[in-house]
Amino acid sequence: MSLRSLILLIINGLVFLVVVILSITFYNQFSHVIDDRILQQLNSIKTLKKIQIENLIQTEWHNFSENPTSTCFGDSLNISMSKKQFPVSGIYDLTKYHKQNKTSIGLVLVDSNQIKLNVIPYDKIKSILLERTGMGNTGESYLVGDDYNMRSQSRFFPKKTPFSILVKTEGVLNGLSSESGRGIYKDYRGIDVYGVYSTVNLSNLKLVILSEIDKSEVKAPLEALKSRLLGLIGIIMLVAIVLSLFLSRIIANPIINMKNSLKIMADGDYTQTNEFVKNSNEIKEMFLALDNLKKSLQGAVNFSNEIGEMNLNALYLPKSNSDLLGKSLIKMRNKLIEFRNNENKHRINTKRQLVDGLENERRRLSRELHDGIGPLLTSLKFYIENNIESKTQQQEMKTIVDNTISEIRLMSNALMPSTLDDFGIGAALTNFIESINKSSSIHIDFEDLTNKNNTKLTKNQEINIFRISQELINNALKHGNPKNIKITLSEFDDFISLFYFDDGNGFNLDTVKLGSGIINMKERVEICKGEIQITSKSGNTTFEIELPIEDHEDH
């Protein structure tokens, strides 16, 4: 094989290999990012619409309870107003009783004398679900009852009665099993969609709300990207062939001239040396090499100055494998980077040890309170019951002891919730939020999207997430005056996402003096090698926290 052919083969082969690898990698990463972003966007839309639907129903129920005026529905509803059919007050799905199967969410108030009935206007529900901002051309949100029939208008079959459309899809089946989730599956039309779903449970009403968008619409940009990448590969290869032909000529011709001159000299004809000198660039190359040496030394000096200024991100490449000065500078730069990284690791490890020590001390104090003081108080209670003759004094002392035992349990649980070790972060946060909901007027909605049976979270990460959530809620209760708080904990393949929202007073990030609570949260996020984003204004404060999932055992 000739030198020119070898150069053409190597250059074009490498260019083709690099371009194909980069194109495939970029395409796959772009596809994965689109999948995650679409599902996150759909989940946000679904969550918003679920909140709106629940607020609508609860508002209608509240108004009806305050002013229980029964409405006459004539022959439209085929039901008997009896306690056998409606044993208790509540919210009922009366769609199957409507003679035209029109969606009917009924409000039933039962008292000793009579039963009063009202139906939420369907247009109010329809207006919420048919609003499709951010859902593209094929996105829709809809409700499905526990009989697998649709309860809201389909945007694809607007002339059909919703109840006549059977929706027995993966999302509905999982939603009716009280699961919230997301994925790619076939919808009621048999078309692949990206979808998210969760259950709407209110009184006697059980519905599934779903937000979906066609997979073909989501993948359309990827198909266009694939076509562009193929076209770009063709253009690059064409340019590479032209350039390699030109480059091979530049490289091969001097070498061929040198070969011819050497053959002449090998035959003993030394008179042809001048022709070799005239036809080559060797002398010129020597002066260029000297100029390059000067530039190389100047680059080394500049790089040394950058290192002296501790600008360790400065770029510098040795001229060759024999460039000992360049290699020494690179080695020195790498050692300084290693030293700085080790210093940062040491600082983070010190913080981690302090936090771990604090959590271990909390765990110890919780255990001491539960296992030490608790049994003593219980023994004291038995002693009072058996040795105090005055029933009044006995009851008063028992009440004091019972209150003390309850307070000890609360203190022990606040220091280290037992559910955190026994059942994981989802159950611990659920119990904590339920206790806050019972003791305050603020409504806190928590959505747990972790892999409960196969989670990859370490115990340290669960503790840090619990403490961060505690701090967020406590800060809101102390300073924010919100009416509603929304917390979503989502587990993905390689990271865990904690999303917090409240509609309180908010604060100005540019002027507010950060308290120890937010500083502690940031330090816990740093310890877990995560990222935190804070946005705040009146009526809308959000914290978005992402922690990488570490694939190793607890230490």
Side-chain angles (χ1 to χ4, degrees):
M1 182 180 293
S2 66
L3 178 61
R4 181 172 293 179
S5 299
L6 185 61
I7 292 173
L8 289 173
L9 180 62
I10 293 174
I11 292 177
N12 292 310
L14 288 175
V15 169
F16 179 77
L17 183 62
V18 170
V19 170
V20 169
I21 291 175
L22 289 177
S23 299
I24 293 174
T25 302
F26 176 75
Y27 181 84
N28 289 336
Q29 289 181 346
F30 186 63
S31 176
H32 183 67
V33 168
I34 284 181
D35 289 348
D36 281 346
R37 294 307 176 193
I38 288 296
L39 289 174
Q40 288 181 15
Q41 180 178 353
L42 286 175
N43 188 61
S44 299
I45 293 172
K46 180 268 297 179
T47 301
L48 175 62
K49 292 188 181 298
K50 178 182 176 182
I51 293 173
Q52 291 176 329
I53 290 293
E54 290 177 344
N55 287 342
L56 170 64
I57 295 175
Q58 289 172 347
T59 300
E60 292 286 338
W61 172 253
H62 176 74
N63 294 337
F64 181 60
S65 300
E66 293 291 329
N67 185 20
T69 301
S70 182
T71 303
C72 179
F73 296 95
D75 297 330
S76 59
L77 292 177
N78 188 16
I79 55 176
S80 61
M81 302 294 287
S82 65
K83 289 189 177 181
K84 182 177 181 181
Q85 190 159 20
F86 299 110
V88 295
S89 299
I91 303 167
Y92 291 84
D93 184 1
L94 305 180
T95 305
K96 62 184 177 181
Y97 299 110
H98 197 282
K99 292 187 177 181
Q100 285 79 39
N101 293 131
K102 182 178 178 181
T103 301
S104 302
I105 305 300
L107 309 175
V108 180
L109 196 61
V110 180
D111 57 26
S112 58
N113 297 323
Q114 59 181 337
I115 298 176
K116 296 182 179 180
L117 170 65
N118 202 347
V119 175
I120 298 174
Y122 172 61
D123 288 341
K124 293 185 178 180
I125 299 175
K126 182 179 178 181
S127 63
I128 293 174
L129 295 173
L130 289 185
E131 203 285 317
R132 299 191 302 108
T133 301
M135 300 193 71
N137 296 322
T138 60
E140 67 170 338
S141 297
Y142 57 91
L143 295 171
V144 179
D146 56 5
D147 55 3
Y148 306 110
N149 290 320
M150 192 177 284
R151 292 295 191 273
S152 61
Q153 187 67 55
S154 167
R155 69 177 299 266
F156 299 104
F157 305 109
K159 296 183 179 180
K160 283 190 176 183
T161 302
F163 190 80
S164 66
I165 301 175
L166 181 66
V167 188
K168 202 169 186 178
T169 63
E170 176 185 333
V172 174
L173 294 174
N174 291 338
L176 289 175
S177 300
S178 298
E179 292 184 16
S180 294
R182 61 187 72 190
I184 301 175
Y185 51 82
K186 293 188 180 298
D187 69 351
Y188 59 90
R189 300 169 294 151
I191 294 176
D192 290 330
V193 296
Y194 287 77
V196 296
Y197 48 84
S198 62
T199 306
V200 177
N201 272 323
L202 292 172
S203 183
N204 300 298
L205 182 67
K206 184 172 184 180
L207 301 171
V208 179
I209 184 169
L210 304 96
S211 291
E212 299 170 345
I213 187 171
D214 286 4
K215 182 179 178 181
S216 60
E217 180 179 356
V218 176
K219 293 297 184 181
L222 287 175
E223 296 301 322
L225 176 63
K226 184 189 294 184
S227 300
R228 292 192 186 98
L229 287 175
L230 291 175
L232 183 61
I233 290 174
I235 294 173
I236 291 175
M237 289 307 303
L238 180 61
V239 173
I241 291 172
V242 173
L243 290 178
S244 62
L245 286 171
F246 178 71
L247 182 63
S248 65
R249 182 177 180 183
I250 294 176
I251 296 174
N253 286 348
I255 295 176
I256 293 172
N257 289 337
M258 182 182 294
K259 180 194 70 173
N260 293 333
S261 297
L262 289 174
K263 284 179 67 177
I264 292 172
M265 292 177 66
D267 292 336
D269 185 0
Y270 300 106
T271 60
Q272 301 297 322
T273 304
N274 290 336
E275 182 181 354
F276 167 72
V277 173
K278 291 178 182 179
N279 292 338
S280 65
N281 294 321
E282 281 78 6
I283 300 299
K284 183 179 178 181
E285 294 291 339
M286 289 177 62
F287 285 101
L288 288 175
L290 183 61
D291 186 58
N292 287 336
L293 177 61
K294 181 179 69 174
K295 292 180 180 179
S296 176
L297 291 173
Q298 185 62 43
V301 170
N302 293 336
F303 185 58
S304 299
N305 290 333
E306 294 287 348
I307 293 177
E309 297 293 333
M310 291 303 292
N311 181 15
L312 304 183
N313 294 323
L315 296 177
Y316 180 79
L317 293 175
K319 295 300 179 182
S320 67
N321 291 331
S322 302
D323 186 359
L324 299 180
L325 176 61
K327 287 185 175 180
S328 298
L329 291 174
I330 293 293
K331 186 176 181 180
M332 180 171 63
R333 191 268 308 272
N334 292 339
K335 286 293 184 182
L336 288 172
I337 292 175
E338 182 181 355
F339 175 77
R340 186 171 65 181
N341 291 339
N342 288 336
E343 185 179 15
N344 289 333
K345 288 180 181 178
H346 177 71
R347 178 176 58 83
I348 293 176
N349 284 335
T350 300
K351 289 183 179 180
R352 182 182 292 114
Q353 290 172 2
L354 289 173
V355 172
D356 289 346
L358 175 63
E359 295 298 340
N360 289 334
E361 185 65 16
R362 284 176 171 172
R363 183 178 281 107
R364 185 188 69 79
L365 290 174
S366 175
R367 192 182 303 115
E368 289 294 332
L369 288 172
H370 184 273
D371 298 339
I373 299 178
L376 293 177
L377 291 172
T378 303
S379 300
L380 177 60
K381 180 179 177 181
F382 290 148
Y383 178 82
I384 291 170
E385 291 175 346
N386 297 320
N387 293 277
I388 301 300
E389 296 181 357
S390 173
K391 294 298 183 180
T392 301
Q393 291 183 349
Q394 184 185 88
Q395 185 61 39
E396 290 177 353
M397 296 177 72
K398 283 175 60 181
T399 301
I400 294 173
V401 172
D402 287 338
N403 291 338
T404 304
I405 291 175
S406 298
E407 189 65 26
I408 290 294
R409 288 174 178 169
L410 290 174
M411 292 171 62
S412 174
N413 194 59
L415 286 169
M416 183 58 65
S418 59
T419 52
L420 191 60
D421 289 329
D422 297 336
F423 303 105
I425 180 63
L429 277 178
T430 299
N431 289 346
F432 175 70
I433 289 171
E434 286 179 354
S435 67
I436 297 296
N437 280 330
K438 290 178 181 178
S439 61
S440 71
S441 61
I442 297 174
H443 175 70
I444 305 177
D445 185 15
F446 172 59
E447 187 172 13
D448 179 17
L449 300 178
T450 58
N451 299 328
K452 301 176 182 61
N453 298 324
N454 192 26
T455 182
K456 297 181 181 178
L457 289 175
T458 64
K459 285 299 178 185
N460 283 341
Q461 287 176 322
E462 290 186 328
I463 291 174
N464 283 317
I465 291 172
F466 183 80
R467 296 302 181 199
I468 290 171
S469 301
Q470 265 187 326
E471 195 65 50
L472 287 169
I473 294 174
N474 289 336
N475 281 349
L477 294 176
K478 291 179 182 177
H479 311 294
N481 298 319
K483 294 182 180 178
N484 297 284
I485 295 176
K486 171 68 178 179
I487 299 176
T488 302
L489 183 63
S490 305
E491 182 177 352
F492 299 93
D493 292 338
D494 53 358
F495 70 94
I496 186 80
S497 172
L498 177 65
F499 175 80
Y500 169 90
F501 162 83
D502 72 51
D503 56 2
N505 300 331
F507 53 88
N508 190 331
L509 287 171
D510 298 327
T511 59
V512 71
K513 183 178 180 181
L514 297 182
S516 59
I518 293 182
I519 292 175
N520 289 339
M521 282 191 289
K522 288 187 173 182
E523 288 185 347
R524 287 183 182 271
V525 172
E526 181 184 21
I527 287 172
C528 294
K529 302 176 182 179
E531 297 178 355
I532 181 171
Q533 291 185 359
I534 306 173
T535 58
S536 181
K537 61 181 180 180
S538 179
N540 186 354
T541 296
T542 62
F543 286 74
E544 296 183 66
I545 298 171
E546 290 188 1
L547 306 180
I549 292 179
E550 301 175 2
D551 191 14
H552 58 75
E553 298 294 330
D554 294 342
H555 58 278

